Amino acid sequence: MRRLLFLFLLLAAPAGATEGPVARAADWAAVVRPTAGPARAIGGTSLGCLAGAVQLPFDGPGWQAIRTSRNRHWGHPVAITLVEHVAREARAAGFPDLWIGDIAQPRGGPMPWGHASHQTGLDVDIWLDLRPKPRVPPALREELTIPSLVLPDETGVDPARWTARHAQLIRIAAETPSVDRVLVHHAIKRRLCQDHAGSPGAEAWLRRVRPWQGHDSHMHIRLRCPPGSPDCRDISPPPPGDGCDDSLDWWRSPESRRPTPAPPGPPPRLPAACAGVLAAPAD
């Protein structure tokens, strides 16, 4: 996993950007309010920050934010729009409320635990829990048990829990125009390929659904850099095709399960513009 994280950081780091402050997670977690002014995503999703963030309402039509005490439901406006869109489409399709997990901290930046990404306000976690969810105060949505959809040996999805409705919800997210990719566990990706590869129109949305460790009970939706954020840096788009090829086999290899630790290096540095975001007065 460390090697995967190292490669992810390299992909997500802004190419050619001027070096800025060392990425100290405690500094960014200590800030409880966003900056004023227009929204700007800066840098890459695993090495960046966010100006002018807006907060997702803890309750909305078709969604409920969970674990709100973390103060991680801030995002670029396009991320809030994404939640509204996916929840609206899911609700129209008869789904229960969606649980919305972390988006970003008030000014983005690195988190002290839980994620290497989610730094620019362009990532949203939506849990794949399709049980009915009564409306309760946010304080009662802190300690949740969300079952995995994947078998313990990771050879496939759990047939006692996985349903076609899970695939339908993932497809709703993947077909949202502003989405760059949707990360799910490789066993989930494999099942989607098994059930949908080759069907009309499937390649377009399956291409956006990419395998990643740890996403066995939620999907991680990543948006492309929005207009008005010239310092934002996208990672490379998904390769052509539906992703239902031999590359999926790597995720079951010893290298994937027990990766060689990456050698230590210098502490990562954020883009130079993030120094101003961290020091700016609150809104």
Side-chain angles (χ1 to χ4, degrees), residues 26-136:
D27 296 338
W28 294 88
V31 181
V32 298
R33 297 291 303 170
T35 65
R40 291 181 298 125
I42 300 167
T45 182
S46 291
L47 205 59
C49 60
L50 172 65
V54 295
Q55 189 175 37
L56 177 75
F58 292 163
D59 295 272
W63 82 81
Q64 300 177 43
I66 63 172
R67 298 163 181 160
T68 57
S69 64
R70 297 179 177 185
N71 200 26
R72 295 178 178 180
H73 285 92
W74 299 87
H76 190 285
V78 297
I80 309 306
T81 298
L82 168 85
V83 172
E84 295 169 345
H85 170 82
V86 173
R88 182 171 59 250
E89 293 293 308
R91 195 181 195 189
F95 284 88
D97 280 1
L98 304 179
W99 271 337
I100 310 301
D102 291 349
I103 304 176
Q105 299 175 136
R107 303 188 188 192
M111 297 180 182
W113 52 271
H115 304 281
S117 58
H118 288 261
Q119 295 193 27
T120 56
L122 300 177
D123 299 85
V124 179
D125 284 346
I126 298 182
W127 292 86
L128 298 170
D129 188 333
L130 304 186
R131 297 173 295 182
K133 304 172 183 69
R135 289 277 172 153
V136 297

Side-chain angles (χ1 to χ4, degrees), residues 132-187:
K133 304 172 183 69
R135 289 277 172 153
V136 297
L140 298 181
R141 304 197 294 257
E142 289 290 326
E143 301 295 331
L144 300 170
T145 300
I146 303 173
S148 172
L149 297 173
V150 174
L151 292 169
D153 63 3
E154 300 187 358
T155 56
V157 297
D158 186 340
R161 292 175 176 161
W162 175 263
T163 71
R165 295 284 275 169
H166 291 98
Q168 184 182 4
L169 180 58
I170 294 170
R171 180 172 183 170
I172 287 172
E175 289 185 332
T176 303
S178 56
V179 166
D180 175 71
R181 62 193 73 204
V182 178
L183 304 180
V184 296
H185 191 279
H186 59 87

Side-chain angles (χ1 to χ4, degrees), residues 174-248:
E175 289 185 332
T176 303
S178 56
V179 166
D180 175 71
R181 62 193 73 204
V182 178
L183 304 180
V184 296
H185 191 279
H186 59 87
I188 294 176
K189 170 68 176 184
R190 192 172 292 107
R191 181 57 184 262
L192 294 173
C193 290
Q194 176 185 325
D195 292 346
H196 298 281
S199 60
E203 180 175 323
W205 69 268
L206 282 174
R207 181 190 178 207
R208 291 181 172 182
V209 181
R210 312 307 301 183
W212 200 259
Q213 290 285 17
H215 295 71
D216 58 318
S217 54
H218 75 281
M219 57 179 168
H220 176 150
I221 306 173
R222 172 157 305 134
L223 297 166
R224 292 190 296 272
C225 288
S229 293
D231 296 320
C232 181
R233 298 293 181 268
D234 284 319
I235 62 176
S236 299
D242 59 12
C244 300
D245 51 33
D246 293 344
S247 65
L248 272 174

